[in-house]
Amino acid sequence: MSAPAAAQPYKGALPKPTPETLRFWQGAREDKLMLPWCEDCGQAHFYPRALCPHCHGTRLVWREASGRGSIYSYAISHKPAKGFEDKTPYVIAVVALEEGPRMLANLWLDEKPTPENVRIDMKVQAVFDAVTPDITLINFRPAGSQS
Amino acid sequence: MKGRALAAIVGAAETDRIGKLPDMSRLMLHAEAARKAVADAGLRLSDVDGVFSTVAGPNELSEYLGITPRFVDGTGVGGCSYMLFVRHACAAIAAGYCKVALIVHGESGRSWIDMEGAGTAASPAGQFELPYGVAAAPTTYSIPVLRYFHETGCTKEQMAHVPAATREWALLNPKAMMHAEGPITPADVMASRMVCYPFNLLDCCLVADGGGALVIVAAERARDFPRPPVYVIGTGEATAHRQIAMMRDFTRSESSRISGELAFREADLQPRDIDHLMLYDAFSITPMMFLEDLGIVGRGEAGPFLSDTSQDAQGRILYPTGPGGRLPINTNGGGLSYCHTGRYGMFALLESVYQLRGEAGARQVRGLRTSLAHGPGRQFAAAGTIIMSNDAPL
């Protein structure tokens, strides 16, 4: 199913940013995938935390990530969550970002998703879905397809 | 029996009814299970001095039962919380902190009478899982499965043998919710309605109301109680993540591996020493992955093992984990065909106890000495493992 256009009101669950995730959500509104990086061990992590989950350091800086990744795994839901009825069936994917961390997101396709057109390790690119004036959700499309 | 007994299970019971119980609140289910387990042990509720419960907190449950325990545990890690409670009860008894531990489960999973709502929008799951159409467990447990198939070569068709084999046990269990629904084949599983690919309907557990409870005392007291004792001889627990996207390796459950290793080490046993397995089947994938995580089969071997079927003289499929098979698994009919309240771990433990006591009726596996009950909590986040024996300790 295609990405929700801004015209269709979003009816699904909305995130409520917390102090340590705020920069991520602000970045999303600016169409940027911002990740926290650890200055001690040099690794990025997701979801954003107040300490590095790899080395437990607290010297964290925000940097913009490329938005490129691949499908680590996925499922295709035929039983919609509240607000996702008109998108069903839809892909819930875990994307391995080029920078290392993984994030859960929807994968939007221009056709109905099937086990044949959604593949493990498929290359994907982040897209920015402004679902409300305050919240933009970061999802993905197959790399090379129109946003 | 090698090693020593950590404690003895002297009371085990479940609610008279399981399934659709709109006349039973969450606390009524707890209370019925508690009363019955304590009676099974020949005790009174006033004899209980340790309370272990999560769907009703220990405060709430003690108040409802009118008791004042001196040891409490409200560990809530999902379905395997009950395995953790058994382990914690052993530790509390060994430390001298309580003498009669009561572990209680009750859950109005289907009728939802006084059950809690979802987490907050500000929680990590609220921010990074729920906005993407994640709904109930089928949309999270399903996510690692394709990666597991991709890396091990196991297939959806092999996975479909799990519900089929488990249904065979339910046909022998009159209390099982699917007892009268007849056998299913792996092809039937794959033809059932799609829920969240790669899970069809028959790959998913039931949704039910019900409850159960256990009474645990020091091992040396076991012979003072009326029922055949079941000894806890090995325990394990671990937790690795909460959201499915944070599972480090989708093809192996780290928490299961750690928990199983701890239990086998404590029991001084190997996987091959286990006669009977309860591998919490929230979905068909879970027993499949646990067989590998616990070292019962090697990496990537679960699929071939489960699908190594034969046929009887009437052409009926015989499963290696089903009745008459070489490794009985989920002999009550499992979460897939017996019942599943939401946190099924207690029912897995109960079936281990019934089988080791010799009380399993038509589904009794003969000659059992050891049983292992293992479960996950919330999409492989946590795990708990309990190894039990009916052999008298050294």
Side-chain angles (χ1 to χ4, degrees), chain B residues 106-172:
Chain B
E107 191 159 10
S108 181
R110 183 170 178 152
S111 302
W112 215 251
I113 314 291
D114 182 30
M115 291 291 291
E116 84 286 359
T120 67
S123 66
Q127 292 187 61
F128 300 107
E129 226 177 38
L130 293 184
Y132 303 99
V134 164
T139 56
T140 55
Y141 268 100
S142 55
I143 292 176
V145 180
L146 292 177
R147 188 82 206 178
Y148 167 76
F149 290 164
H150 180 80
E151 290 196 18
T152 62
C154 293
T155 67
K156 182 163 156 56
E157 204 252 340
Q158 290 169 339
M159 184 174 81
H161 284 68
V162 172
T166 309
R167 174 62 66 90
E168 294 292 309
W169 290 110
L171 300 180
L172 297 172

Side-chain angles (χ1 to χ4, degrees), chain B residues 251-271:
Chain B
T251 69
R252 35 167 78 87
S253 164
E254 204 177 338
S255 54
S256 290
R257 188 189 57 73
I258 294 169
S259 177
E261 207 171 83
L262 287 169
F264 280 116
R265 192 185 315 151
E266 190 167 39
D268 193 19
L269 291 176
Q270 299 292 321

Side-chain angles (χ1 to χ4, degrees), chain A residues 68-111:
Chain A
R68 288 187 296 271
S70 62
I71 300 289
Y72 181 63
S73 197
Y74 70 95
I76 304 176
S77 184
H78 290 249
K79 204 175 156 185
K82 187 155 151 305
F84 276 68
E85 296 83 358
D86 56 352
K87 306 187 193 4
T88 307
Y90 55 91
V91 180
I92 306 170
V94 172
V95 174
L97 297 171
E98 203 174 71
E99 292 83 2
R102 295 193 196 126
M103 62 186 291
L104 186 143
N106 294 123
L107 177 72
W108 302 126
L109 303 163
D110 290 326
E111 61 215 332

Side-chain angles (χ1 to χ4, degrees), chain B residues 52-275:
Chain B
F52 302 71
S53 174
T54 177
V55 182
N59 286 354
E60 205 183 20
L61 185 59
S62 304
E63 174 186 77
Y64 200 92
L65 297 176
I67 59 176
T68 48
R70 58 198 55 206
F71 190 88
V72 300
D73 187 336
T75 300
V77 292
C80 66
S81 300
Y82 306 93
M83 283 77 175
L84 277 68
F85 285 149
V86 171
R87 184 166 203 244
H88 298 178
C90 292
I93 290 168
Y97 294 160
C98 80
K99 290 193 166 52
V100 178
L102 174 66
I103 304 172
V104 195
H105 169 69
E107 191 159 10
S108 181
R110 183 170 178 152
S111 302
W112 215 251
I113 314 291
D114 182 30
M115 291 291 291
E116 84 286 359
T120 67
S123 66
Q127 292 187 61
F128 300 107
E129 226 177 38
L130 293 184
Y132 303 99
V134 164
T139 56
T140 55
Y141 268 100
S142 55
I143 292 176
V145 180
L146 292 177
R147 188 82 206 178
Y148 167 76
F149 290 164
H150 180 80
E151 290 196 18
T152 62
C154 293
T155 67
K156 182 163 156 56
E157 204 252 340
Q158 290 169 339
M159 184 174 81
H161 284 68
V162 172
T166 309
R167 174 62 66 90
E168 294 292 309
W169 290 110
L171 300 180
L172 297 172
N173 187 353
K175 198 169 174 185
M177 287 170 68
M178 306 310 274
H179 174 67
E181 299 300 313
I184 52 177
T185 63
D188 292 332
V189 175
M190 294 183 64
S192 60
R193 174 165 62 80
M194 187 60 70
V195 173
C196 187
Y197 177 79
F199 289 159
N200 294 77
L201 183 65
L202 291 174
D203 287 306
C204 303
C205 63
L206 303 168
V207 179
D209 308 319
L214 296 170
V215 179
I216 301 187
V217 301
E220 52 270 21
R221 298 179 61 199
R223 296 275 170 218
D224 301 337
F225 290 81
R227 318 294 285 125
V230 171
Y231 299 98
V232 178
I233 60 173
T235 69
E237 70 185 271
T239 184
H241 59 263
R242 174 64 176 83
Q243 296 176 51
I244 193 60
M246 301 294 116
M247 185 176 182
R248 290 165 185 74
D249 178 347
F250 278 19
T251 69
R252 35 167 78 87
S253 164
E254 204 177 338
S255 54
S256 290
R257 188 189 57 73
I258 294 169
S259 177
E261 207 171 83
L262 287 169
F264 280 116
R265 192 185 315 151
E266 190 167 39
D268 193 19
L269 291 176
Q270 299 292 321
R272 65 170 176 272
D273 298 320
I274 306 298
D275 302 325

